[in-house]
Amino acid sequence: MTWGLILDIFKTYWPMFLRGAGMTLFISVIGTVVGTIIGLLIGTIRTIPTPDRGPNKILLKLVNYILTAYVEFFRGTPMIVQASVIYYGAPLFLGIDMDRIFAALFIVSINTGAYIAEIVRGGIISVDKGQFEAAHAIGMNHVKTMLHVVLPQVIRNILPAVGNEFVVNIKDTSVLNVISVTELFFQSKSIAGNNFRYFETYFITSIIYLIMTITVTRILRILERKLDGPDNFTVIPGNQMQVQKPEDAVKRRDALKQ
Amino acid sequence: MGNVIEVQHLKKSFGSNEILKDIDFSVKKGEVVCIIGPSGSGKSTLLRCINLLEKPSGGSIIYNGQNILDHKHNIYDYRTKLGMVFQQFNLFNNHDVLSNCVVGQTKVLKRSVKEAEEVAMKYLNVVGMSQYIKAKPRQLSGGMKQRVAIARALSMEPDVMLFDEPTSALDPEMVGEVLSVMKKLAKSGLTMLVVTHEMQFAKEVSDRVVFMDQGVIVEEGTPEQIFDNPKQERTKEFLSRVAR
Ligand SMILES: Nc1ncnc2c1ncn2[C@@H]1O[C@H](COP(=O)(O)OP(=O)(O)OP(=O)(O)O)[C@@H](O)[C@H]1O
Ligand SMILES: [Mg+2]
């Protein structure tokens, strides 16, 4: 083991490592955020209650069918293959030359969207039926119910799973080196190709990945706790109009019984 | 005085199971009506049909002279006119106490936040929960949750309040605080339709008591008529069972 050599490599190549790590973080942040938005939209659409009849029923069925196909495709194939198919397929079939970075963001986003759509769907289904009914009972339609009551709860509940997706993305963006995106793994490959010190270089790479994933996990924990709010609440004595101690309640109930 | 809600020939089936069979019934403005009856008789289903949480299989529901099942009536507007209090409270878990009472006003009735908060505070005072506006539902006892749920419904300033066994999920020591709030509301002239197993409450506050069994209204009348002089065998039998 050659600690000195590792240090030397880092000293020489740190700007490249840093740029690679920056690109990796950039793609995974954008990919996770956009993917979460896609997932929330799709999950919401897929849980719209089917109307009894009419053209809307057929339309909704068709949309659901397409969305299911999308989710199945992106969950059922490796991202490295998706990246190649989309990046090399775009000029062939759509006549567009994709910018590498754009392609990377696009692929990671829609790939993450497919996973998160399923997580969101599960999250929506697991929200208590009473929450929907109470929202409907005060006159909210499906969109308002989702926006103001259900999705905030879903987002809180799926946050750990989204965090997990984020960590997976940090690691899996490494496959984007097939389309020559200059993320951390691609940079490491260049560095190692330069100095022929494969072990030492990739050792540094693994440490950088580890620092990124651990930091992200920590930050998300803190965010979760923030969202839960304080454990205690303050009683506002000035607002008090009618004091009701449990004893009073029991007395009243007893009085009622006689 | 006019009927706030009139139910005519209402039917409801779940599959081949007919739960409500030809229900005719109405609530007048300012009236307090209690629905009593054995478990499974269709009381909740009737209440849920009235605010369209369940879709009736037949019949009509007349509100303000219009059959809301007939027309392309806006069910969302209609529901704001009915306040619903559930057995399981169903407070919005992601909102604190004040926000539970505000969100419907601002998002559905389009009131300003300031006005909505004033209205909410007024009704939180009525139910004795204004000290707890910052609390989240999970931090409250069952009785407190139910009082907030009542304030939430009142904040929409509905024409009629529907209560579906509001005290059945409560620990015994918390039943009193909720019933006393409801009595206060009944005295204030609010129109109320209450499904309840609290016979003493029904006796004390109702203008009219409706006894349901197996999907039909067996008997209705003043509390004295129902509790002291029931005419139907089934009513007598039910009352003797719950008296014990
Ligand atoms: N969504 C549903 N699907 C199928 N059957 C249902 C549904 N909701 C209610 N029922 C049935 O309808 C019948 C009446 O139910 P309902 O809840 O209206 O009775 P209830 O009088 O409120 O009883 P309880 O006093 O126990 O609350 C029951 O037999 C119940 O099983
Ligand atoms: Mg019931």
Side-chain angles (χ1 to χ4, degrees), chain A residues 129, chain B residues 14-15 17 19-20 37-46 48 54 87 164-165 195 197 212:
Chain A
K129 228 179 106 227
Chain B
F14 290 109
N17 205 356
I19 304 300
L20 296 179
S39 193
S41 54
K43 307 181 297 293
S44 298
T45 306
L46 174 59
R48 294 166 57 80
E54 300 289 354
Q87 186 174 342
D164 189 5
E165 296 190 32
V195 172
H197 287 294
M212 273 183 76

Side-chain angles (χ1 to χ4, degrees), chain A residues 2-246:
Chain A
T2 47
W3 289 111
L5 196 55
I6 289 174
L7 213 62
D8 277 348
I9 291 174
F10 187 72
K11 273 183 186 153
T12 317
Y13 295 100
W14 69 266
M16 275 181 88
F17 279 118
L18 205 63
R19 252 181 284 132
M23 182 59 79
T24 290
L25 217 49
F26 172 67
I27 295 171
S28 25
V29 169
I30 303 286
T32 308
V33 170
V34 176
T36 303
I37 294 166
I38 294 175
L40 284 169
L41 278 174
I42 293 181
T44 307
I45 294 171
R46 287 178 88 190
T47 49
I48 294 175
T50 22
D52 291 335
R53 63 193 108 76
N56 282 346
K57 182 177 181 174
I58 300 163
L59 182 70
L60 190 66
K61 267 213 158 131
L62 188 72
V63 169
N64 272 333
Y65 192 77
I66 295 167
L67 293 180
T68 307
Y70 157 73
V71 169
E72 293 296 331
F73 175 76
F74 282 96
R75 280 166 32 115
T77 55
M79 192 157 79
I80 191 166
V81 176
Q82 294 161 16
S84 307
V85 167
I86 291 174
Y87 183 69
Y88 297 114
L92 285 183
F93 296 101
L94 304 173
I96 36 172
D97 242 330
M98 268 194 192
D99 176 62
R100 286 174 209 290
I101 312 271
F102 175 80
L105 293 174
F106 179 76
I107 288 152
V108 177
S109 298
I110 55 175
N111 180 285
T112 308
Y115 282 92
I116 295 194
E118 280 303 279
I119 297 169
V120 168
R121 192 159 75 113
I124 292 173
I125 291 169
S126 68
V127 169
D128 179 23
K129 228 179 106 227
Q131 299 285 306
F132 290 85
E133 293 195 337
H136 291 157
I138 58 170
M140 288 188 181
N141 56 24
H142 182 71
V143 172
K144 285 177 187 163
T145 302
M146 281 299 176
L147 235 44
H148 304 301
V149 176
V150 177
L151 288 183
Q153 297 183 42
V154 169
I155 289 170
R156 168 61 193 91
N157 291 340
I158 67 169
L159 210 57
V162 170
N164 196 39
E165 255 341 280
F166 191 5
V167 169
V168 167
N169 279 342
I170 289 176
K171 296 185 290 176
D172 283 5
T173 44
S174 59
V175 306
L176 294 171
N177 78 83
V178 290
I179 58 170
S180 308
V181 176
T182 54
E183 41 68 50
L184 180 57
F185 183 75
F186 183 88
Q187 296 286 53
S188 309
K189 233 168 53 171
S190 311
I191 296 167
N194 238 319
N195 60 16
F196 302 107
R197 288 294 177 179
Y198 292 96
F199 168 75
E200 289 80 359
T201 304
Y202 287 119
F203 184 80
I204 295 171
T205 310
S206 67
I207 299 291
I208 298 175
Y209 273 117
L210 202 58
I211 290 171
M212 288 198 286
T213 52
I214 289 175
T215 311
V216 163
T217 312
R218 286 289 143 79
I219 291 173
L220 284 164
R221 275 296 120 68
I222 295 168
L223 185 64
E224 276 168 41
R225 242 174 289 141
K226 265 258 158 62
L227 278 183
D228 283 344
D231 276 342
N232 301 311
F233 59 89
T234 38
V235 174
I236 301 158
N239 275 338
Q240 173 174 347
M241 294 281 273
Q242 167 197 328
V243 188
Q244 184 145 36
K245 286 179 280 188

Side-chain angles (χ1 to χ4, degrees), chain B:
Chain B
M1 274 231 245
N3 289 332
V4 178
I5 284 183
E6 195 173 335
V7 171
Q8 296 169 346
H9 305 295
L10 191 77
K11 293 187 186 68
K12 175 66 188 174
S13 306
F14 290 109
S16 60
N17 205 356
E18 196 173 38
I19 304 300
L20 296 179
K21 303 160 187 161
D22 205 19
I23 301 275
D24 277 306
F25 140 96
S26 60
V27 185
K28 289 190 185 61
K29 193 165 168 12
E31 210 180 14
V32 177
V33 180
C34 282
I35 304 179
I36 61 172
S39 193
S41 54
K43 307 181 297 293
S44 298
T45 306
L46 174 59
L47 225 55
R48 294 166 57 80
C49 279
I50 288 177
N51 73 358
L52 303 180
L53 285 177
E54 300 289 354
K55 196 166 173 279
S57 320
S60 35
I61 297 172
I62 313 289
Y63 169 77
N64 265 349
Q66 289 192 31
N67 181 6
I68 51 152
L69 300 180
D70 219 38
H71 305 154
K72 276 275 170 199
H73 210 281
N74 186 334
I75 67 167
Y76 304 110
D77 280 348
Y78 167 68
R79 280 183 180 142
T80 64
K81 308 292 185 193
L82 311 177
M84 180 82 171
V85 176
F86 298 88
Q87 186 174 342
Q88 298 297 339
F89 332 125
N90 297 341
L91 289 182
F92 302 135
N93 295 326
N94 56 319
H95 292 273
D96 65 20
V97 165
L98 182 63
S99 184
N100 259 281
C101 301
V102 163
V103 65
Q105 296 185 66
T106 52
K107 303 301 175 192
V108 181
L109 300 180
K110 305 286 178 202
R111 288 179 184 159
S112 71
V113 173
K114 188 172 170 290
E115 185 191 359
E117 286 184 350
E118 278 168 18
V119 173
M121 285 311 295
K122 176 170 133 197
Y123 291 108
L124 284 167
N125 266 325
V126 170
V127 301
M129 282 300 293
S130 50
Q131 314 153 253
Y132 296 96
I133 51 173
K134 291 272 176 259
K136 282 284 176 92
R138 65 186 148 88
Q139 296 164 325
L140 301 176
S141 72
M144 290 170 151
K145 281 186 208 170
Q146 195 60 300
R147 286 188 283 148
V148 174
I150 292 172
R152 173 177 67 183
L154 288 171
S155 295
M156 301 294 284
E157 303 189 309
D159 289 343
V160 51
M161 285 281 285
L162 312 177
F163 295 83
D164 189 5
E165 296 190 32
T167 58
S168 294
L170 297 177
D171 289 339
E173 71 268 24
M174 291 168 189
V175 171
E177 66 186 65
V178 172
L179 289 184
S180 74
V181 164
M182 289 173 64
K183 277 191 204 168
K184 195 159 120 186
L185 295 176
K187 282 207 194 88
S188 76
L190 190 71
T191 311
M192 291 165 61
L193 179 56
V194 185
V195 172
T196 187
H197 287 294
E198 297 282 336
M199 294 304 147
Q200 196 55 43
F201 173 83
K203 210 183 254 185
E204 254 180 70
V205 303
S206 328
D207 297 307
R208 193 150 49 90
V209 176
V210 174
F211 172 66
M212 273 183 76
D213 191 16
Q214 294 176 11
V216 295
I217 291 179
V218 177
E219 189 170 356
E220 61 179 303
T222 62
E224 294 74 34
Q225 283 169 345
I226 300 295
F227 289 109
D228 303 334
N229 289 304
K231 300 223 160 36
Q232 302 290 328
E233 252 341 286
R234 275 198 273 175
T235 318
K236 285 180 200 167
E237 195 253 345
F238 171 74
L239 288 172
S240 70
R241 246 188 313 129
V242 294
R244 268 183 283 123

